């Protein structure tokens, strides 16, 4: 099999502090991102034109044309390098769609890497990061991976050295949430209750990064926070149930992933995560099955197609 294969890990926000709405329509953020072991796989092969094909658990419901963020990533890189976007992309979708896990951003980041390799461009890392930021606020982190503090609209990254791995159960929802709608709902809630606390954003991020470096899941549990959670639950009140059930089942903490609707439950270790997933899979039998994932691994990266690791 020819071509280039790249893993495209999902992300989780261990902390998401949302500041004021900016004039460009984005919100100023201070967030702590971490990569997850849950990932899509992007394969890029030579072709006369740009083609895209979707496979995997979450292929249905996603448009396979030039508007797909991965296709836009290939076109943007080609335009920036002055080459023809000649590539056949095959994306194995294992990350739930519009779920707060940055699946589309992960595919876009992986596509930048795959096409850069396929077309032998040797694009400098900083240039790839610029292109990633052009594609979306989460795409630079999906390239970067590990654990990082994101500021600006999320695209300005500072790595958190010495970060440790943690174990999670993800509870995907049967529905989706559009990111702009969730930010809009937060603005609406804040206009009503004046809860904007932007001044303390960086201070709380520091507590989270210290907990991540310390490797103690109980300490991390106490520090997890997402300003978008109230807005996600306001739009989808049924999300309160898995969070409460997770805590009742013994999760150390529960959090809405990004703009939701996926919820993430923090476990003490891998064995505890497996137990939680089993208990909650039975309780929420009508929801998509829980996904066990570890955090803190690398971002988008080239692999040998024969040795793509299991999620
Ligand atoms: O950057 P991205 O295209 O992923 O953002 C999608 C939408 O999410 C934006 O159009 C905006 O409505 C919202 N957003 C925001 N503030 C951010 C990031 C995203 O309001 N920092």
């Amino acid at each position: 099999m020819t071509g280039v294969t790249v893993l495209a890990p999902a992300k989780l926000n261990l902390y998401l502090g949302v500041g004021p709405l900016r004039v460009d329509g984005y919100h100023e953020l201070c967030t702590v991102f971490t990569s997850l072991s849950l990932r899509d796989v992007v394969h890029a092969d030579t072709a006369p034109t740009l083609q895209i094909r979707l496979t995997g658990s979450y292929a249905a419901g996603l448009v396979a044309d030039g508007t797909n963020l991965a296709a836009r990533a290939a076109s943007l890189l080609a335009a920036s390098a002055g080459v023809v976007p000649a590539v056949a992309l095959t994306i194995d979708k294992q990350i739930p769609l519009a779920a707060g896990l940055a699946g589309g951003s992960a595919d876009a980041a992986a596509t930048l890497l795959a096409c850069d390799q396929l077309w032998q461009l040797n694009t400098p890392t900083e240039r790839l990061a610029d292109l990633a930021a052009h594609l979306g606020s989460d795409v630079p982190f999906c390239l970067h991976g590990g654990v990082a503090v994101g500021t600006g609209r999320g695209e300005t990254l500072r790595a958190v050295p010495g970060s440790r791995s943690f174990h999670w159960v993800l509870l995907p929802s049967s529905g989706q949430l559009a990111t702009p709608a969730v930010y809009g709902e937060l603005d609406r809630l804040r206009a009503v209750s004046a809860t904007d606390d932007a001044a303390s954003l960086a201070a709380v991020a520091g507590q989270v990064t210290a907990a991540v470096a310390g490797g103690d899941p109980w300490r991390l549990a106490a520090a997890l926070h997402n300003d978008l959670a109230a807005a996600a639950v306001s739009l989808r009140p049924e999300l309160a149930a898995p969070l409460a059930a997770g805590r009742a089942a013994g999760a150390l903490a529960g959090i809405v992933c990004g703009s939701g609707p996926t919820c993430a439950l923090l476990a003490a270790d891998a064995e505890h995560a497996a137990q939680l997933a089993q208990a909650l899979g039975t309780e929420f039998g009508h929801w998509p099955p829980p996904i066990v994932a570890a955090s803190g691994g690398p971002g988008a990266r080239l692999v040998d197609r024969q040795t793509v690791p299991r999620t």
Side-chain angles (χ1 to χ4, degrees):
M1 182 68 71
T2 57
V4 177
T5 302
V6 178
L7 297 186
K11 65 84 187 151
L12 178 65
N13 300 82
L14 300 173
Y15 169 64
L16 180 49
V18 182
L21 178 63
R22 308 189 320 197
V23 287
D24 64 1
Y26 287 90
H27 292 75
E28 198 64 23
L29 298 187
C30 183
T31 185
V32 181
F33 289 111
T34 186
S35 296
L36 292 172
S37 53
L38 172 67
R39 84 292 181 276
D40 290 343
V41 183
V42 174
H43 184 75
D45 217 335
T46 46
T49 55
L50 174 55
Q51 300 158 22
I52 180 162
R53 190 170 75 89
L54 304 169
T55 63
S57 314
Y58 289 96
L62 195 59
V63 183
D65 66 14
T67 64
N68 184 289
L69 198 59
R72 285 170 45 206
S75 298
L76 183 67
L77 178 64
S80 135
V83 300
V84 176
V87 60
L89 296 169
T90 304
I91 305 180
D92 177 20
K93 289 294 312 170
Q94 300 299 333
I95 306 172
L97 309 180
L101 296 165
S105 300
D107 297 345
T111 299
L112 288 176
L113 270 192
C115 291
D116 184 64
Q117 176 82 9
L118 187 74
W119 300 332
Q120 300 182 358
L121 300 176
N122 288 319
T123 309
T125 308
E126 307 75 47
R127 178 70 189 140
L128 280 182
D130 285 348
L131 296 175
H134 195 78
L135 291 162
S137 305
D138 290 338
V139 185
F141 175 73
C142 291
L143 261 184
H144 188 282
V147 181
V149 176
T151 50
R153 61 184 170 90
E155 86 285 22
T156 304
L157 300 173
R158 177 173 58 80
V160 179
S163 301
R164 309 280 285 275
S165 180
F166 295 89
H167 298 274
W168 304 85
V169 177
L170 306 177
L171 296 173
S173 168
S174 43
Q176 303 182 345
L177 273 173
T179 305
V182 181
Y183 275 101
E185 179 67 0
L186 179 67
D187 292 336
R188 192 189 70 77
L189 293 175
R190 283 179 167 173
V192 174
S193 62
T195 54
D196 189 342
D197 188 19
S200 63
L201 295 183
V204 185
Q207 292 167 23
V208 176
T209 55
V212 169
D216 178 347
W218 285 269
R219 190 169 162 207
L220 179 62
L224 291 173
H225 177 77
N226 180 359
D227 274 349
L228 288 180
V233 174
S234 171
L235 293 173
R236 297 279 309 275
E238 68 273 23
L239 295 183
L243 289 171
R247 282 188 286 266
L252 309 191
I255 193 167
V256 173
C257 298
S259 55
T262 307
C263 294
L265 304 171
L266 179 59
D269 53 28
E271 194 183 336
H272 185 211
Q275 288 165 2
L276 278 174
Q278 194 174 20
L280 292 161
T282 311
E283 182 158 355
F284 289 94
H286 57 295
W287 286 41
I291 301 168
V292 172
S295 64
R301 62 200 184 278
L302 294 162
V303 289
D304 179 343
R305 197 179 200 192
Q306 311 308 322
T307 59
V308 170
R310 286 164 51 87
T311 45

